[in-house]
Amino acid sequence: MRSQKATKKQNGKCYVLTPERYVRAEEEEEGLDEKMLHLAAKLERQFAESAKLEARIRENRQRVGSGG
């Protein structure tokens, strides 16, 4: 199967855009573990913030008398 190529004209020049030319999977894999650790830590912070906000919402609902 032939790879799909796209072209882009800029300043009168034509550039061939192909994934294999611009995606550097080998280089990105090296930082993948670090990136995943960063994203997992961010997700944990977001879960904690979500729990705090949920608790505040429940408290506010009880205060205004709508139950909860």
Side-chain angles (χ1 to χ4, degrees), residues 11-59:
N11 297 330
K13 296 181 182 179
C14 186
Y15 297 92
V16 177
L17 307 174
T18 59
E20 56 272 5
R21 286 189 185 180
Y22 296 97
V23 175
R24 305 252 189 254
E26 322 76 56
E27 293 175 14
E28 192 171 314
E29 285 179 18
E30 292 174 10
L32 185 58
D33 289 338
E34 184 178 317
K35 187 174 185 179
M36 287 302 296
L37 288 173
H38 171 75
L39 290 173
K42 182 178 180 179
L43 182 59
E44 289 300 321
R45 289 191 304 272
Q46 290 173 337
F47 282 154
E49 180 67 16
S50 174
K52 289 178 189 176
L53 292 173
E54 181 181 351
R56 284 181 59 190
I57 291 169
R58 290 183 186 280
E59 289 171 8

